[in-house]
Amino acid sequence: MIIVRVMGGLGNQLQQYALYRKYQSMGTQARLDLAWFSQSVQDSMAAPRRFELSDFGNLPLEEAKREEVRALLGRTYEEQAGLGEKVKRRLLPGRMPVFEESEMFHEEILSWDNRYLVGYWACEAYYADILASLREDIRFPKGGDERNRGAMEEMAGQTAVSIHVRRGDYLDTENAAVFGGICTEAYYDTAIRYIKERYPGAVFYVFSDDVAYARAHYRGAEYRIVDWNRGADSFYDMQLMSCCKHNICANSTFSFWGARLNGAADKIMIRPSIHKNSQVCVPEQMKKLWAGWTLVTPAGECYT
């Protein structure tokens, strides 16, 4: 049995869910461990999260039982790993029952059938071939702000393009060192120009956690600022992104999924060439692992 730990925000949860579904598509028995979202664990978190996949209603998933986790891992998530396990995990990562993601893509894990997997699994190569099936099952519930319905109707009659500008927590000193300086003005200028060259009449819908910044930087007649989905309704922004014909993403799994859930056959999906500052972009590798995506560097260099 494969057990995938679910953790993080909605975009990360969707990626862990997608990997779980990938195993199922190959006939491998798989479960999701949701213990990270228990109250006792979240009470210890500096930035608590909640399990958001349940917001999609009837999304098919099977949660791992505590005894299944213990049988595979030797303990439950809440029980701390001993020093011996930690040392063995570093020295013998391929032989331990628990495997922690350390690279963008671990091709070998897709051949496994008896591991406990810990990671975010952002790489599209893991589940690109089942995205059409996932789009069928990941359905947003009816409700939310009435303006969403109006925006979707408007988008249907235009060449609508989403732009995601994530600032907020990315401006914190610690996060800025990891995620900052990637989606620069040069990045967005190149991405917008790339779209405009192909679709001169495009209308850009801007999604941001910093509305004041978005209004100050995107003031032309071709821009629409989406500023009403907040709090528990913020995931409707992902739905609106998916309703656009093309997508310009931040280095954020939230907007990656807005693009992935976009079912347009001829869509343009643009993402930054790196997700974290610790990464180095190797264009040939990235184009293979993120097939169909257009990559733009922080300096504004474009790889198609």
Side-chain angles (χ1 to χ4, degrees):
M1 178 187 294
I2 291 290
I3 297 179
V4 180
R5 179 183 295 174
V6 184
M7 56 187 178
L10 178 58
N12 288 321
Q13 292 176 41
L14 282 167
Q15 286 166 175
Q16 292 146 0
Y17 177 76
L19 182 63
Y20 153 80
R21 288 283 298 271
K22 173 63 176 182
Y23 280 107
Q24 289 190 324
S25 74
M26 297 187 297
T28 302
Q29 188 179 36
R31 302 281 191 275
L32 295 174
D33 184 7
L34 309 184
W36 192 84
F37 297 96
S38 67
Q39 191 63 53
S40 61
V41 173
Q42 290 303 303
D43 285 345
S44 68
M45 296 285 181
R49 298 283 193 173
R50 67 182 184 87
F51 182 62
E52 296 183 71
L53 295 182
S54 59
D55 293 345
F56 292 108
N58 296 319
L59 191 63
L61 61 85
E62 191 165 358
E63 181 179 356
K65 298 180 176 63
R66 289 176 63 87
E67 50 269 29
E68 291 174 329
V69 175
R70 187 181 294 279
L72 181 59
L73 188 57
R75 58 182 175 83
T76 63
Y77 170 77
E78 295 92 339
E79 298 168 344
Q80 295 296 312
L83 178 61
E85 177 184 331
K86 292 179 180 178
V87 171
K88 290 179 181 178
R89 196 184 303 169
R90 286 197 300 269
L91 298 177
L92 303 167
R95 299 182 185 179
M96 294 295 290
V98 59
F99 180 83
E100 295 191 30
E101 176 185 38
S102 60
E103 303 290 342
M104 179 179 294
F105 184 56
H106 296 277
E107 185 176 12
E108 69 275 16
I109 72 171
L110 295 177
S111 65
W112 294 348
D113 61 7
N114 196 42
R115 295 292 175 91
Y116 183 94
L117 303 179
V118 182
Y120 295 104
W121 321 112
C123 185
E124 189 126 327
Y126 285 120
Y127 36 76
D129 61 328
I130 64 166
L131 282 174
S133 175
L134 291 172
R135 280 193 288 269
E136 290 294 318
D137 290 332
I138 299 172
R139 297 292 186 178
F140 291 84
K142 294 181 180 179
D145 197 295
E146 186 62 29
R147 285 173 286 187
N148 290 326
R149 184 190 302 273
M152 285 187 278
E153 292 175 354
E154 186 180 83
M155 290 170 175
Q158 301 169 333
T159 301
V161 183
S162 70
I163 299 176
H164 187 210
V165 180
R166 180 168 175 177
R167 287 168 60 81
D169 59 336
Y170 276 18
L171 300 181
D172 296 342
T173 302
E174 183 176 343
N175 286 333
V178 179
F179 300 108
I182 293 173
C183 289
T184 60
E185 290 190 14
Y187 167 78
Y188 286 110
D189 288 345
T190 295
I192 292 169
R193 183 169 59 251
Y194 186 89
I195 296 290
K196 285 184 173 181
E197 287 172 353
R198 289 154 180 79
Y199 300 95
V203 178
F204 297 87
Y205 290 80
V206 183
F207 302 83
S208 181
D209 52 6
D210 189 340
V211 174
Y213 177 90
R215 290 194 182 283
H217 283 75
Y218 299 96
R219 293 182 289 185
E222 70 270 38
Y223 296 109
R224 311 282 188 272
I225 309 299
V226 180
D227 60 0
W228 54 84
N229 291 315
R230 296 299 177 210
D233 283 347
S234 61
F235 83 146
Y236 285 109
D237 275 357
M238 185 185 290
Q239 181 183 30
L240 292 180
M241 292 177 188
S242 74
C243 291
C244 291
K245 292 183 172 63
H246 310 290
N247 308 95
I248 298 172
C249 300
N251 54 330
S252 167
T253 59
F254 187 94
S255 50
F256 288 173
W257 277 97
R260 286 165 174 162
L261 296 177
N262 173 0
D266 59 347
K267 65 183 176 182
I268 295 172
M269 300 180 294
I270 300 177
R271 60 148 292 172
S273 58
I274 56 175
H275 191 88
K276 300 178 181 179
N277 284 308
S278 59
Q279 296 173 337
V280 176
C281 175
V282 180
E284 295 74 17
Q285 178 192 44
M286 284 294 291
K287 285 188 287 185
K288 178 181 178 181
L289 297 180
W290 292 78
W293 288 75
T294 296
L295 310 174
V296 177
T297 70
E301 189 175 2
C302 186
Y303 297 105
T304 58

